[in-house]
Amino acid sequence: MIKENKQQKVYRILKGRIIEREYVPGQRIVIDQIAKELETSSIPVREAIRQLEAERLVVYKRNVGPVVAEVNESDYLDTVHVLALLEGYAASLAANNFPKDKLKELVQLNERMEEALEDFDIIQFSKLNATFHRIICEQCGNNFLLESIQNTWNRIESIRGVGSTLYSKRVKESIREHQQIIALLETGASKEVEVLAREHKVKTAENFEKRRKNLMGTNSN
């Protein structure tokens, strides 16, 4: 394992806090405070923030400094639709020679997701779901594609937070679709799994939009 330098450490910590919603959208990131907390100078902190800014997780506000980026619903929907294409392609590549031991992991993860749903454990469900999709994408054999997917995952997490799609019937459908994806990966049906993986992600975006409109309608009455 390669030892990380100070800038990498600060970047990892700040990014994790943004994704896990410890730092919420609009929150100011105080450079001197972070530097003191992590026992480093302000230079690695500034470098880490610049990297986060390049990933659109942080923005600079005049007379304020760096703050966690705020994103609207349309940005979330656009990002999910792009992710649908990326994950669909990754699944099609992975299906060409998907390892049997990884298939077993997917089955176990899906079972644990059902258990988490029964317990209404939002965070656990979300983490298991993320691991499920990560295992598939990691088998695509295309490093640039995988990097693009990882960046898009991070972007989505910074937009909607952990587990925000759990409050819907869509989650039960998602588990069933996972079962279908596993079956297609097992048979090496690359074209079919690409379509299903893409639709699987798009349905999540469509459900989000439907729920958002219903909520707006309720609030307006």
Side-chain angles (χ1 to χ4, degrees):
M1 182 177 178
I2 301 175
K3 186 177 181 180
E4 59 185 2
N5 58 36
K6 291 181 179 180
Q7 184 269 328
Q8 291 169 333
K9 178 183 178 181
V10 175
Y11 166 78
R12 173 177 57 80
I13 291 173
L14 294 183
K15 188 170 185 176
R17 290 176 180 179
I18 292 172
I19 292 173
E20 294 296 328
R21 287 279 182 159
E22 186 176 341
Y23 290 169
V24 298
Q27 181 173 337
R28 182 187 175 198
I29 299 176
V30 183
I31 294 175
D32 291 340
Q33 180 179 319
I34 297 298
K36 183 178 180 180
E37 176 192 349
L38 300 181
E39 299 180 341
T40 185
S41 69
S42 63
I43 296 175
V45 180
R46 293 181 187 279
E47 292 174 345
I49 289 175
R50 276 197 290 268
Q51 188 172 351
L52 292 169
E53 185 184 14
E55 296 177 12
R56 298 175 62 197
L57 295 176
V58 170
V59 296
Y60 271 87
K61 284 191 174 182
R62 188 176 179 181
N63 300 325
V64 176
V67 299
V68 178
E70 295 195 46
V71 186
N72 59 34
E73 289 89 351
S74 63
D75 199 348
Y76 165 71
L77 294 171
D78 290 345
T79 306
V80 173
H81 278 91
V82 171
L83 182 61
L85 294 173
L86 296 174
E87 283 198 20
Y89 182 46
S92 71
L93 294 177
N96 292 325
N97 190 25
F98 204 85
K100 291 183 178 180
D101 61 322
K102 296 299 180 181
L103 283 171
K104 291 181 180 178
E105 283 189 51
L106 295 181
V107 172
Q108 292 170 353
L109 284 166
N110 215 34
E111 291 174 349
R112 290 173 62 193
M113 286 174 66
E114 286 188 283
E115 294 172 0
L117 181 59
E118 291 174 1
D119 295 336
F120 210 71
D121 190 336
I122 299 173
I123 294 178
Q124 178 69 356
F125 180 93
S126 180
K127 288 181 178 180
L128 292 170
N129 183 61
T131 302
F132 182 94
H133 289 280
R134 176 178 55 76
I135 288 175
I136 295 174
C137 293
E138 284 178 348
Q139 305 305 314
C140 72
N142 185 316
N143 291 331
F144 180 73
L145 174 60
L146 182 57
E147 181 181 350
S148 299
I149 291 172
Q150 289 174 330
N151 288 336
T152 310
W153 282 337
N154 291 340
R155 177 61 177 162
I156 287 177
E157 286 303 318
S158 73
I159 295 170
R160 64 181 174 86
V162 175
S164 65
T165 60
L166 187 58
Y167 299 95
S168 77
K169 296 178 181 179
R170 169 66 195 145
V171 178
K172 292 183 178 179
E173 296 174 0
S174 179
I175 291 175
R176 289 194 293 269
E177 289 165 11
H178 281 180
Q179 295 170 342
Q180 296 170 1
I181 289 172
I182 292 170
L184 292 174
L185 289 171
E186 187 172 15
T187 59
S190 60
K191 291 183 179 179
E192 291 84 353
V193 78
E194 178 173 7
V195 173
L196 180 57
R198 185 170 66 244
E199 291 178 347
H200 173 71
K201 194 65 63 177
V202 169
K203 285 179 181 178
T204 299
E206 292 175 343
N207 179 263
F208 174 89
E209 176 66 2
K210 181 179 179 180
R211 288 166 54 226
R212 185 179 71 86
K213 288 181 177 179
N214 287 341
L215 183 61
M216 290 174 61
T218 301
N219 291 339
S220 63
N221 292 333

